[in-house]
Amino acid sequence: MPKVFIIFYSLYYHVYTLAQHVQKGLESQGIEVELYQVPETLDDAILEKMHAPAKPDVPVITVDKLKEADGFLFGLPTRFGIFPSQFKSFLDATGGLWSSGALAGKFAGTFFSTASQHGGQETTALTAVTYFAHHGINYVPFGFANAHLFDNSEVVGGSAYGAGTVANGDGSRQPSQKELEIAVTQGENFGKLLVTFHRGQSKLASTENGAAKKQEIVKPDATPATNGDASKKREVKSTPKKQEESKNKCFCM
């Protein structure tokens, strides 16, 4: 089955919580899922002043590890309408993979956390798309695949670009049940796409292998007759016995 890496940066666990629910959706489709966080670029003293909790118990991704996955779902908190410097530092380090085309043809999606409803969840996705385009990664938008995205009765994060949550400026608001359900749906839809794609690839490869094997089959006694063989056949037809029999035949109608 396809393998998907969920790669995120989460300072106050909002994006991490969404990532866990995206994972549920992926696994419901039989996808092999691994969670990673990008390296932190702030030192401990600054993180302490920001009252940041301890990092989630999730391994830190390395650039070369990206080659192992069939697809990625990136959890992007928003800073001034784009993703934060921690994520940019990680993506900027993928130049070697870009030069070798190692990520071309893979799939990617995005999900977000912002302080407010108008904090830039869509612009964060659009700025991430430039990296996908340069790598040749296929970007998979979410659309309005979950009905909660049409709900105007309360604050609901997310957009056509992916699941999302609204954290408030002080991080006091945690992802709502509706936002978590949207995240599960995104994982499900992304998983279905990868399963369909890989089944198609397997079927195509099987068809091509079958055609190649047919071409390798050598037909017996298929060697064309040589000129010598043809002359022998002509000699057989002109034997005296055959000539005598033809004289005695009546060719009347």
Side-chain angles (χ1 to χ4, degrees), residues 127-185:
T127 51
V129 166
T130 60
Y131 282 91
F132 306 150
H134 279 256
H135 276 289
I137 297 173
N138 301 291
Y139 178 61
V140 183
F142 181 51
F144 287 83
N146 188 293
H148 293 322
L149 290 174
F150 295 98
D151 187 354
N152 292 319
S153 66
E154 61 181 276
V155 173
V156 179
S159 70
Y161 296 89
T165 187
V166 178
N168 283 342
D170 57 1
S172 59
R173 182 183 183 275
Q174 295 301 312
S176 68
Q177 184 60 37
K178 291 180 180 179
E179 291 170 342
L180 297 178
E181 290 175 10
I182 293 170
V184 172
T185 302

Side-chain angles (χ1 to χ4, degrees), residues 14-67:
H14 295 82
V15 176
Y16 177 47
T17 301
L18 288 179
Q20 291 174 308
H21 285 75
V22 171
Q23 180 180 9
K24 291 180 181 179
L26 286 166
E27 290 177 341
S28 72
Q29 304 304 312
I31 302 294
E32 181 182 350
V33 185
E34 295 181 15
L35 261 68
Y36 293 97
Q37 54 187 329
V38 297
E40 180 60 81
T41 58
L42 300 176
D43 60 39
D44 292 340
I46 294 177
L47 291 172
E48 184 178 352
K49 291 180 179 180
M50 297 174 69
H51 305 290
K55 291 293 182 184
D57 186 20
V58 174
V60 175
I61 189 72
T62 61
V63 169
D64 286 340
K65 189 77 175 174
L66 294 174
K67 294 183 289 186

Side-chain angles (χ1 to χ4, degrees), residues 75-251:
L76 306 170
T78 300
R79 297 291 183 272
F80 299 102
I82 61 175
F83 48 83
S85 59
Q86 290 86 348
F87 236 106
K88 189 175 190 306
S89 295
F90 173 72
L91 293 175
D92 282 347
T94 60
L97 300 180
W98 166 78
S99 62
S100 65
L103 304 183
K106 297 181 185 292
F107 294 84
T110 48
F111 57 99
F112 321 93
S113 174
T114 52
S116 69
Q117 295 181 80
H118 314 291
Q121 293 189 10
E122 295 181 353
T123 56
T124 300
L126 291 171
T127 51
V129 166
T130 60
Y131 282 91
F132 306 150
H134 279 256
H135 276 289
I137 297 173
N138 301 291
Y139 178 61
V140 183
F142 181 51
F144 287 83
N146 188 293
H148 293 322
L149 290 174
F150 295 98
D151 187 354
N152 292 319
S153 66
E154 61 181 276
V155 173
V156 179
S159 70
Y161 296 89
T165 187
V166 178
N168 283 342
D170 57 1
S172 59
R173 182 183 183 275
Q174 295 301 312
S176 68
Q177 184 60 37
K178 291 180 180 179
E179 291 170 342
L180 297 178
E181 290 175 10
I182 293 170
V184 172
T185 302
Q186 184 175 10
E188 291 172 348
N189 288 2
F190 194 83
K192 289 175 183 176
L193 173 68
L194 261 66
V195 168
T196 301
F197 176 77
H198 280 265
R199 283 178 179 169
Q201 273 194 325
S202 299
K203 186 174 182 179
L204 179 61
S206 177
T207 302
E208 290 176 345
N209 290 337
K213 288 180 180 179
K214 287 182 179 179
Q215 292 178 354
E216 292 175 359
I217 297 175
V218 179
K219 295 181 180 179
D221 301 327
T223 306
T226 62
N227 291 334
D229 294 333
S231 63
K232 287 180 181 180
K233 291 180 181 179
R234 287 195 296 270
E235 290 173 1
V236 170
K237 290 180 181 179
S238 61
T239 57
K241 185 177 181 181
K242 293 289 184 181
Q243 292 175 353
E244 186 65 28
E245 289 176 355
S246 63
K247 289 180 180 179
N248 296 330
K249 286 182 180 179
C250 178
F251 295 100

